[in-house]
Amino acid sequence: GGAKVAVTKGPVSWAISISWTGLPRGVYRVEYAADLSAPDWQPLPDFANIAVTSGELTILDRSIPVGAPQRYYRARYGP
């Protein structure tokens, strides 16, 4: 299976949840940017060093203001 994505809209912000199966014995760092070519991706608060424990990882970003431009995410894997 691939990644699962869910998007919800609240009165003042959007929320996005992303789940994926992680590689064992690794740590993920989730970053975001408004443009795929941006040189300065920002770490997603609270999701900087996610250790794989049960195989599936889930992040939740509730900080997207309504009316904001698109947001892209990437997960970086390290030992």
Side-chain angles (χ1 to χ4, degrees):
K4 296 177 239 165
V5 178
V7 179
T8 56
K9 182 180 177 191
V12 295
S13 66
W14 291 90
I16 187 165
S17 170
I18 304 171
S19 299
W20 71 97
T21 301
L23 297 171
R25 294 181 296 245
V27 175
Y28 286 85
R29 173 187 172 103
V30 179
E31 300 172 331
Y32 70 93
D35 185 332
L36 283 174
S37 63
D40 56 342
W41 287 67
Q42 301 299 310
L44 187 62
D46 299 325
F47 298 101
N49 292 302
I50 309 169
V52 179
T53 55
S54 64
E56 185 169 281
L57 296 122
T58 300
I59 62 110
L60 178 62
D61 184 0
R62 294 184 177 133
S63 66
I64 308 166
V66 170
Q70 70 273 357
R71 187 174 275 191
Y72 298 95
Y73 297 88
R74 69 181 180 189
R76 300 180 75 176
Y77 175 78

